[in-house]
Amino acid sequence: MEIFKEFKFEAAHRLPNVPLGHKCARLHGHSYQVVVHITGAVDEHAGWVRDFADLRDAMQPILDCLDHYYLNDIDGLDNPTSEVLARWIWGRLCPALPELSQVVVHETCTSGCVYRGE
């Protein structure tokens, strides 16, 4: 069984490694949406894979680091593409959520990425 929880945050960034003149090289912001998925067996007694509050609690310190910040200033996010951000979030969630199966990062309503670990 797989469950998920969605989170939102606002942040600014620029992409330093894009070609000269690319619009993403300029400072801009996004209303990010992150969806955290975990996979596991349904506990017969509790009736769930895991309490959604556990996902919220695991994600909150990460959101506190990202929300309304300039992502390029955060250690490990000097080139904060959606792909780099998804991997960065995964690395911080895994210790608290070993059942983590995927992290989905939407940087716009129509663009994003899915990271399923290495």
Side-chain angles (χ1 to χ4, degrees):
M1 183 78 63
E2 186 169 17
I3 66 169
F4 65 91
K5 186 154 181 64
E6 298 180 8
F7 304 90
K8 295 183 182 203
F9 69 94
E10 311 288 331
H13 75 155
R14 59 177 292 281
L15 300 183
N17 299 336
V18 295
L20 188 64
H22 192 286
K23 67 180 183 176
C24 292
R26 296 189 302 267
L27 179 64
H28 64 284
H30 292 288
S31 297
Y32 288 92
Q33 179 181 358
V34 176
V35 187
V36 174
H37 293 249
I38 65 170
T39 303
V42 176
D43 180 276
E44 292 302 321
H45 179 71
W48 60 31
V49 173
R50 189 146 179 184
D51 190 337
F52 287 115
D54 293 343
L55 281 70
R56 181 199 63 222
D57 293 346
M59 190 64 181
Q60 191 58 55
I62 296 167
L63 293 173
D64 291 344
C65 289
L66 300 173
D67 190 36
H68 284 81
Y69 282 96
Y70 178 51
L71 298 182
N72 299 67
D73 285 346
I74 298 171
D75 189 37
L77 294 178
D78 54 315
N79 182 31
T81 64
S82 292
E83 296 88 342
V84 169
L85 183 57
R87 185 181 302 130
W88 186 90
I89 291 169
W90 177 284
R92 281 146 186 80
L93 278 179
C94 244
L97 299 173
E99 317 92 329
L100 191 60
S101 58
Q102 69 180 23
V103 172
V104 181
V105 173
H106 297 265
E107 68 175 49
T108 70
C109 297
T110 60
S111 301
C113 77
V114 177
Y115 183 70
R116 294 186 181 97
E118 309 250 23

